[in-house]
Amino acid sequence: MNLNIEQIRADFPILQQQIYKRPLIYFDNAASTQKPRQVIDAIRHYYEHDNCNIHRGVHYLSVKATEAYEEARKEIRQFINAKSTHEIIFTKGATESLNLVASTFGKRYIQPGDEVITTIMEHHSNFVPWQQMCLERRALLRVAGINAKGELDMDELKGLISKKTKLIALTHVSNVLGTVNPVREIIALAHQHDIPVLLDGAQGVSHLSVDVQELDCDFYCFSGHKLYAPMGTGVLYGKEKYLEELPPYQLGGEMIKDVYLDHTTFNELPFKFEAGTPNVEGVAGLRAAVAYLQDLGMENIAAYEDHLLRYATEKLSAIEGVRFYGTARHKASLISFLIGDIHSYDAGMIIDKMGIAVRTGHHCAMPLIDFLKIPGTVRASFAFYNTTEEIDQLVSAILKAREMLT
Ligand code: PMP
């Protein structure tokens, strides 16, 4: 193993605390990850040394803050291997990135009768924007299903592709099932039909090393806060040819070039999509988070998290009454489960009292939860600062919940 987990854990102040007189065990990383001291320090440094509104300022601080922001863009470009910094748009999160594309892509390319393909395993943030855009533009949203393991039904997806298809929008990794979708295959197939593909990378980018040029995806969206960076930060990657053609999303601020009484011209990429004062301190934190991850190495992170996932799967499988939701061949760092007929909230409350944070409920994926015909799941999602000893504690907490609730 190439990661020094003890040393890594020392970087995360929040993990040092006790809750209910027990060491905090944080298994809610798919909802949001904790922040290393390096990220917290970057935000502090920004406010103590660089804080100012960016772009167009001639004075010292404004230039310094602008440089920090644009340096961050270069580092994010490199992190996901985009061709150009023009293709990196800072947003406030995956949801905003996805809404931006749904709204502007709809206006630019979608006509009545056109179709968009998505999947049943999407988070609401990559489902509702497409659903609403299709309703507004009298287009049709087509939804590919899954098999019993929670893997995408590729035959069904292939069968949905037609001359009417204008875009395929799907998640890289499911936030409920943990399934890693065969996105390379889907992108290659879509491109044979000249259909662009958007990937919701909210659960992908923190666990897998992502190379957007190698994937050849047309859009890739993610949130900073699931990537050890501050809340209110996010990224939209889009191929320049699409970003050039799409209309602006919001109006005002740096996205403006010139304003006349009767019309306005817009700035070039990437500023065309960055209206208003951005979250500069958040982006400083995002830059520090990416540097931290690159220091650890995404391959090392993926290997260690895979070890945790296998360990947890094996240990939880041995508990009588535990049923998994999502047993795909390719999974990333989370398990969703139910214990007998215990409601996920009840189980979650008892597990919490044992000092362990898990998430319960529908995980903002109601179409999937309805399809599974369950009220929700308990989800334990792992990060590189978690340990097998913590998973052993989860096993004890599940046994306790089972004992108390059955
Ligand atoms: N997509 C997926 C797959 C997610 O898991 C999430 C967050 N749970 C989102 C999109 C939305 O992310 P955010 O709330 O950070 O915008």
Side-chain angles (χ1 to χ4, degrees):
M1 189 170 61
N2 295 323
L3 299 180
N4 182 339
I5 305 304
E6 214 174 303
Q7 201 178 320
I8 286 172
R9 288 180 67 83
D11 288 334
F12 289 80
I14 206 168
L15 299 179
Q16 315 307 324
Q17 67 186 300
Q18 302 238 330
I19 59 164
Y20 311 121
K21 300 199 179 114
R22 292 164 181 271
L24 168 69
I25 296 178
Y26 187 74
F27 284 153
D28 197 15
N29 295 289
S32 197
T33 50
Q34 300 302 346
K35 319 305 170 201
R37 202 179 298 283
Q38 290 79 345
V39 169
I40 300 167
D41 287 348
I43 300 168
R44 172 184 289 276
H45 184 277
Y46 171 77
Y47 277 121
E48 288 181 350
H49 299 276
D50 301 338
N51 177 49
C52 186
N53 211 329
I54 56 166
H55 299 308
R56 301 186 194 209
V58 290
H59 65 80
Y60 180 84
L61 277 186
S62 182
V63 171
K64 216 169 155 207
T66 305
E67 275 173 9
Y69 191 76
E70 293 306 325
E71 277 307 310
R73 199 188 307 273
K74 287 184 195 160
E75 283 163 34
I76 302 295
R77 182 211 68 73
Q78 191 239 331
F79 182 57
I80 59 169
N81 195 30
K83 209 183 262 174
S84 152
T85 48
H86 291 179
E87 298 175 322
I88 304 295
I89 314 290
F90 287 124
T91 65
K92 68 184 166 74
T95 301
E96 188 177 51
S97 304
L98 294 162
N99 274 273
L100 188 163
V101 182
S103 166
T104 59
F105 193 95
K107 280 187 193 149
R108 176 70 177 76
Y109 298 113
I110 303 290
Q111 303 299 329
D114 285 344
E115 296 182 0
V116 171
I117 298 176
T118 188
T119 84
I120 193 79
M121 68 169 86
E122 300 307 315
H123 186 280
H124 296 160
S125 294
N126 194 35
F127 192 86
V128 182
W130 301 110
Q131 180 194 58
Q132 295 299 307
M133 181 277 281
C134 286
L135 287 171
E136 275 163 29
R137 305 199 69 82
R138 288 188 286 133
L140 187 64
L141 182 65
R142 312 211 61 176
V143 183
I146 52 173
N147 65 20
K149 291 178 151 184
E151 294 165 331
L152 196 57
D153 184 336
M154 285 298 287
D155 289 336
E156 191 181 349
L157 182 84
K158 283 178 197 160
L160 293 178
I161 293 175
S162 77
K163 287 203 163 54
K164 295 180 190 165
T165 312
K166 288 292 178 305
L167 180 86
I168 301 178
L170 84 158
T171 195
H172 193 176
V173 176
S174 160
N175 68 313
V176 180
L177 305 165
T179 308
V180 180
N181 281 317
V183 292
R184 276 186 193 75
E185 194 189 329
I186 294 167
I187 291 164
L189 176 73
H191 286 176
Q192 281 168 20
H193 300 267
D194 286 329
I195 300 166
V197 177
L198 172 144
L199 296 181
D200 172 358
Q203 300 293 342
V205 74
S206 46
H207 303 297
L208 310 165
S209 85
V210 170
D211 179 331
V212 291
Q213 289 192 74
E214 196 240 322
L215 285 171
D216 202 22
C217 56
D218 301 279
F219 300 97
Y220 196 92
C221 304
F222 60 94
S223 296
H225 72 97
K226 295 182 199 279
L227 194 67
Y228 310 90
M231 298 209 174
T233 59
V235 172
L236 162 64
Y237 159 78
K239 279 187 185 160
E240 196 161 342
K241 64 170 177 174
Y242 287 110
L243 295 180
E244 284 292 358
E245 285 187 14
L246 295 177
Y249 179 52
Q250 291 181 331
L251 308 171
E254 188 57 19
M255 59 78 60
I256 301 287
K257 189 163 175 219
D258 290 303
V259 178
Y260 306 89
L261 286 186
D262 60 348
H263 76 285
T264 297
T265 56
F266 302 121
N267 204 344
E268 59 198 22
L269 290 173
F271 313 112
K272 173 179 150 186
F273 291 106
E274 293 182 0
T277 301
N279 182 357
V280 187
E281 82 273 19
V283 166
L286 178 60
R287 180 185 180 188
V290 164
Y292 186 85
L293 294 172
Q294 286 185 317
D295 223 29
L296 298 183
M298 288 309 293
E299 267 82 21
N300 295 332
I301 291 173
Y304 178 66
E305 289 180 348
D306 195 49
H307 162 67
L308 290 179
L309 178 65
R310 282 167 197 274
Y311 186 85
T313 306
E314 189 191 317
K315 292 286 166 179
L316 268 68
S317 302
I319 305 174
E320 207 189 310
V322 166
R323 291 189 307 287
F324 292 118
Y325 293 88
T327 52
R329 213 149 36 89
H330 295 295
K331 275 189 73 173
S333 208
L334 68 85
I335 41 179
S336 261
F337 60 95
L338 285 173
I339 314 158
D341 51 13
I342 301 172
H343 197 283
S344 62
Y345 292 131
D346 297 333
M349 299 259 280
I350 295 191
I351 294 170
D352 170 60
K353 292 293 179 287
M354 308 277 287
I356 304 171
V358 288
R359 189 143 294 243
T360 58
H362 58 60
H363 314 298
C364 294
M366 284 187 195
L368 174 63
I369 293 295
D370 287 347
F371 174 82
L372 295 171
K373 296 192 174 53
I374 49 174
T377 73
V378 182
R379 182 185 71 189
S381 50
F382 310 115
F384 52 74
Y385 42 61
N386 291 128
T387 64
T388 50
E389 290 75 25
E390 290 180 320
I391 292 168
D392 292 339
Q393 295 294 315
L394 175 64
V395 169
S396 304
I398 293 170
L399 291 172
K400 177 103 179 166
R402 198 187 59 181
E403 184 189 311
M404 289 175 69
L405 297 169
T406 47

